[in-house]
């Protein structure tokens, strides 16, 4: 009964005229941002975060969450039409979506992505609604040792799952932790690593870093490959995106499997929609009766991954709201926003701010309905928007980056930080390092340090406090395993290569 009462409270918050308007604006902007090659949901949320400072936290999170949901579908448009993923979670969609477009079936490809996104997104919100309170109650038993162990697990899991090179992921994480230590010591109050610069005494601001890495850095990376992209000309009316009976028969189970797989992958800290979409594609190819069709226009190769990445975006909200650990790079940016609004994500959030949490959950239902209408009815305008030269798009993105960085505190110092981290983000992409790992470490670093210092203060046995408490012991062992697995895999591969080399 409490569940329905809470949901009624949430809809009472979400269906106010202002919040409905913000949800509509969020899904429209999110779809457009997701459709822009190289500008993903993390970039969009980081760029628009400054706009929420004058709003209530509930209205701000509704706007950002609607934008997040919209951007997860927006990348499908460029994946299908120009074989260029708008964001990383849509990379897999290029494989079969573009092949369907070459066969004159771009409409069904976009249609199955829209319907799959709606089903998976709605189911993901239901699972979010039912699982989050249970997880929040369990998390109430967490003390500083359990909190630090959980942060450690989040950091190690994130860096182990970003990029092809785990070592570069850990290096990115360490850089983020070093940046998180700049400023005043949380216990003694002494300034550290400020080098006599007054602006650095307050620490490295999260927002300019996020905008620089994900916004300006993407522009610099995109400028290198701003070649002419060919748009496939075809019909994209309502009738052209509707699925045939055969399409429905082949798509229904991939949508179901992608929904559940994506949600539970999204709950894992650091996994996120990209991992979910890749795993879904692999699963569908293995269970298909016609695996030879994958890579040549199999509709299952679009339905499964698109459902998985949208369900994963809902799943990533679970650890962010209940444990204060972001499940993806985008939720890491949103986590920073919550802290700027004075909210502390964690188990007490459901008790102290029920209108905020349930208003967010109800707004996700609304966003999914709006997205279905938008994605089916507005495909032609989005297709035309992609014809805008990328040089113009780059200029617009740079304006948003500079404005967003300056709007936080009206200081040119923040703009300078954004530019520096934009160059750093570009170099990290070129060299194969992970900007997402850096941002997540910057967000989790202060929380992990505080929990570690508190644990050591109350401990009589030093670091053994993390192993004498059951929950923290399990989490620390899991974190150590997350570090050991890539090392063992690399060692095994090295031994295997040595074995095949002729003497």
């Amino acid at each position: 009964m409490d569940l329905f009462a809470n949901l009624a409270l949430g809809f009472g918050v979400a269906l106010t005229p202002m919040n409905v308007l913000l949800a509509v604006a969020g899904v429209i902007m999110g779809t457009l941002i997701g459709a822009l090659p190289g500008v993903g949901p993390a970039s969009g949320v980081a760029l628009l975060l400054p706009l929420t400072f004058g709003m209530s936290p509930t209205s701000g999170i509704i706007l950002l969450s609607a934008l997040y949901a919209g951007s997860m579908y927006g990348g499908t448009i460029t994946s299908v039409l120009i074989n260029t993923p708008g964001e990383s979670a849509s990379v897999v969609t290029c494989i079969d979506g573009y092949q369907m477009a070459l066969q004159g079936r771009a409409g069904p490809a976009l249609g199955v992505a829209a319907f799959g996104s709606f089903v998976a997104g709605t189911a993901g919100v239901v699972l979010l609604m039912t699982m989050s309170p249970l997880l929040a109650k369990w998390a109430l038993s967490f003390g500083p040792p359990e909190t630090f162990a959980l942060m450690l697990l989040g950091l190690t899991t994130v860096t182990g799952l970003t990029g092809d090179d785990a070592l570069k992921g850990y290096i990115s994480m360490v850089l983020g932790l070093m940046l998180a230590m700049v400023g005043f010591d949380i216990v003694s109050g002494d300034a550290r690593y400020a080098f006599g610069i007054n602006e650095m005494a307050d620490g490295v601001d999260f927002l300019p870093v996020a905008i620089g890495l994900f916004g300006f850095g993407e522009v610099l990376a995109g400028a290198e490959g701003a070649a002419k992209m060919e748009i496939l000309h075809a019909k994209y009316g309502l009738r052209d995106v509707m699925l045939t009976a055969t399409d429905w028969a082949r798509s229904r189970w991939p949508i179901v499997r992608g929904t559940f797989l994506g949600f539970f992958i999204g709950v894992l800290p650091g996994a996120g929609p990209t991992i979910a979409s890749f795993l879904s594609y692999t699963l569908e190819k293995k269970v298909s009766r016609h695996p030879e069709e994958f890579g040549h226009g199999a509709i299952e190769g679009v339905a499964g991954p698109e459902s998985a990445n949208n369900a994963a975006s809902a799943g990533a909200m679970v650890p962010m709201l209940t444990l204060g650990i972001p499940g993806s790079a985008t939720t890491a940016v949103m986590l920073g926003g919550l802290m700027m609004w004075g909210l502390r994500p964690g188990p007490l959030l459901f008790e102290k701010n029920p209108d905020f949490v349930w208003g967010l959950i109800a707004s996700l239902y609304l966003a999914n309905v709006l997205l279905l209408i938008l994605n089916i009815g507005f495909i032609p305008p989005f297709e035309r928007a992609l014809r805008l030269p990328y040089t113009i798009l780059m200029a617009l993105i740079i304006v948003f980056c500079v404005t967003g960085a300056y709007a936080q505190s009206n200081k040119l110092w923040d703009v300078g930080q954004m530019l520096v981290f934009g160059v750093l983000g570009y170099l990290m992409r070129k060299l194969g390092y992970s900007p997402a790992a850096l941002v997540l470490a910057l967000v989790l670093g202060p929380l992990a340090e505080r929990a570690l210092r508190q644990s050591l203060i109350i401990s009589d046995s030093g670091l053994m406090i993390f192993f004498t408490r059951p929950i923290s012991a399990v989490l620390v062992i899991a974190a150590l395993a997350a570090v050991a697995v890539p090392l063992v895999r690399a060692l095994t591969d090295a031994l295997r290569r040595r074995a095949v080399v002729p003497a």
Side-chain angles (χ1 to χ4, degrees), residues 208-209 211-213 216-217 220 398 401-402 405 412-426:
V209 174
I211 294 176
L213 290 175
F216 191 64
L220 295 178
I398 291 175
C401 289
V402 173
L412 288 177
W413 172 264
D414 292 333
V415 177
Q417 283 191 91
M418 183 273 295
L419 295 175
V420 170
F421 282 100
V423 175
L424 178 62
Y426 166 74

Side-chain angles (χ1 to χ4, degrees), residues 280-303:
S280 175
Y281 187 85
T282 302
L283 174 62
E284 293 308 320
K285 189 173 182 179
K286 287 185 176 180
V287 303
S288 175
R289 296 179 180 177
H290 309 285
E292 70 280 356
E293 295 183 9
F294 281 73
H296 302 283
I299 196 169
E300 299 93 331
V302 177

Side-chain angles (χ1 to χ4, degrees), residues 32-281:
L32 287 171
I33 287 172
L36 297 177
V39 185
S43 306
V45 172
L47 290 172
L48 294 182
L49 185 57
L51 298 180
T52 66
F53 289 163
M55 306 177 187
S56 68
T58 304
S59 297
I61 198 65
I62 286 176
L63 174 63
L64 297 182
S65 300
L67 185 144
Y68 185 17
S71 62
M72 293 311 300
Y73 176 80
T76 308
I77 299 174
T78 48
S79 295
V80 172
L81 296 180
I82 60 177
N83 199 29
T84 302
E87 39 88 24
S88 59
S90 298
V91 170
V92 179
T93 307
C94 292
I95 300 174
D96 284 287
Y98 187 65
Q99 291 300 317
M100 289 181 67
L102 292 177
Q103 299 165 14
R105 287 173 48 78
L110 294 172
V112 76
F115 286 110
S117 299
F118 171 73
V119 172
T122 303
V125 176
V126 172
L127 293 172
L128 167 66
M129 178 179 65
T130 54
M131 287 185 59
S132 295
L134 299 176
L135 188 59
K137 290 181 180 179
W138 172 72
L140 283 173
S141 61
F142 275 34
E146 288 80 10
T147 300
F148 172 75
L150 191 61
M151 298 295 173
L152 182 64
L153 176 61
L155 289 170
T156 55
T157 304
V158 166
T159 50
L161 291 173
T162 50
D164 298 326
D165 192 332
L167 177 60
K168 291 183 177 180
Y170 285 113
I171 293 174
S172 303
M173 179 202 71
V174 171
L175 179 58
L177 292 176
M178 292 171 63
L179 293 172
M181 295 179 67
V182 175
F184 291 103
D185 185 279
I186 60 174
V187 175
S188 67
D190 296 331
R192 58 187 185 185
Y193 307 115
F195 305 106
I197 302 174
N198 292 333
E199 289 82 359
M200 291 187 66
D202 293 330
V204 177
D205 291 328
F206 159 79
L207 190 60
V209 174
I211 294 176
L213 290 175
F214 292 108
F216 191 64
E218 291 285 1
V219 170
L220 295 178
E224 275 191 325
K228 294 182 179 179
M229 298 178 294
E230 182 181 358
I231 303 287
L232 292 176
H233 298 276
K235 296 181 179 179
Y236 302 101
L238 180 60
R239 181 180 301 177
D240 302 303
V241 301
M242 297 304 293
L243 306 180
T244 64
T246 302
D247 291 334
W248 277 117
R250 296 184 59 173
S251 301
R252 63 175 185 267
W253 288 115
I255 290 175
V256 172
R257 286 189 290 265
T259 297
F260 286 97
L261 174 66
F263 181 83
F264 289 106
I265 292 297
V267 170
L268 299 176
T274 302
I275 300 296
S277 62
F278 275 96
L279 291 179
S280 175
Y281 187 85

Side-chain angles (χ1 to χ4, degrees), residues 14 62 65-66 69 121-122 125 128 313-314 317 359-369:
I62 286 176
S65 300
T122 303
V125 176
L128 167 66
S313 66
M317 295 276 190
L360 165 62
I361 291 175
S363 71
L364 292 176
Y365 282 108
L366 177 63
N368 279 299
V369 175

